[in-house]
Amino acid sequence: MKTSRSGLGARAGHDLVIEAAEWTGTAVVGPDGSARVHVEVNAGSLTIRDALGGLKPMTSSDRKMTEKNMVKVLQPGKYPMITFVADSTGQTGDAVTAPGALTLVGNTQPLTVSGTVSSSGRLRASATVTQSRWGITPFSAFFGALRLADDVAVEVDAELVPAR
């Protein structure tokens, strides 16, 4: 996931690259080539992998405070899993789309994931999650002068392997 910043104080903040350490995903392909997709992400496993930009590098104290804010927003104790489910997919050449539903902090909203599947079976896909659609107020500081942008870019890079 990639966040960006906005507001008058945007230069002071950091664009974050957030990684899910614990997640699973399945795609069951039907006879027509369409797939049912189910992805689960452990909301408590999200960590900051990188912090880009800003007037100064992100300190360990800043990182701890930001991860604490993520826990406050995502409430993994109450909503341990973030899920995406698509009942079918569409494919044209190597381009694939998966219109489905994302459940985040207990709210489910439609979301379409788009990407490509290489001939070697590598999936690269992305979607934009607009936090406010799921009832999340983007983080802000300094009386709103520094804000997390409402849109979060979610990217997937995974190898597709046949079920055993």
Side-chain angles (χ1 to χ4, degrees), residues 5 24 26 43 49 53 56 78 81 103 109 131-132 135 144 149:
R5 54 216 144 109
T24 61
T26 58
R49 187 175 53 141
K56 62 181 184 74
K78 186 174 182 180
M81 292 295 171
T103 302
Q109 295 292 328
Q131 298 176 79
S132 58

Side-chain angles (χ1 to χ4, degrees), residues 25-59:
T26 58
V28 178
V29 181
D32 65 351
S34 179
R36 287 190 334 256
V37 177
H38 185 97
V39 177
E40 288 188 340
V41 176
N42 179 336
S45 78
L46 299 178
T47 58
I48 299 169
R49 187 175 53 141
D50 206 356
L52 310 168
L55 295 176
K56 62 181 184 74
M58 181 177 253
T59 65

Side-chain angles (χ1 to χ4, degrees), residues 50-122:
D50 206 356
L52 310 168
L55 295 176
K56 62 181 184 74
M58 181 177 253
T59 65
S60 62
S61 174
D62 292 339
R63 183 178 299 264
K64 286 178 188 173
M65 182 181 72
T66 301
E67 288 180 345
K68 185 177 177 181
N69 285 332
M70 285 190 331
V71 168
K72 188 187 300 184
V73 168
L74 296 176
Q75 305 174 62
K78 186 174 182 180
Y79 308 108
M81 292 295 171
I82 299 166
T83 60
F84 175 76
V85 177
D87 290 329
S88 65
T89 60
Q91 187 166 357
T92 304
D94 65 350
V96 62
T97 58
L102 176 70
T103 302
L104 178 63
V105 293
N107 296 314
T108 303
Q109 295 292 328
L111 182 72
T112 297
V113 176
S114 302
T116 59
V117 178
S118 70
S119 59
S120 65
R122 184 144 213 92

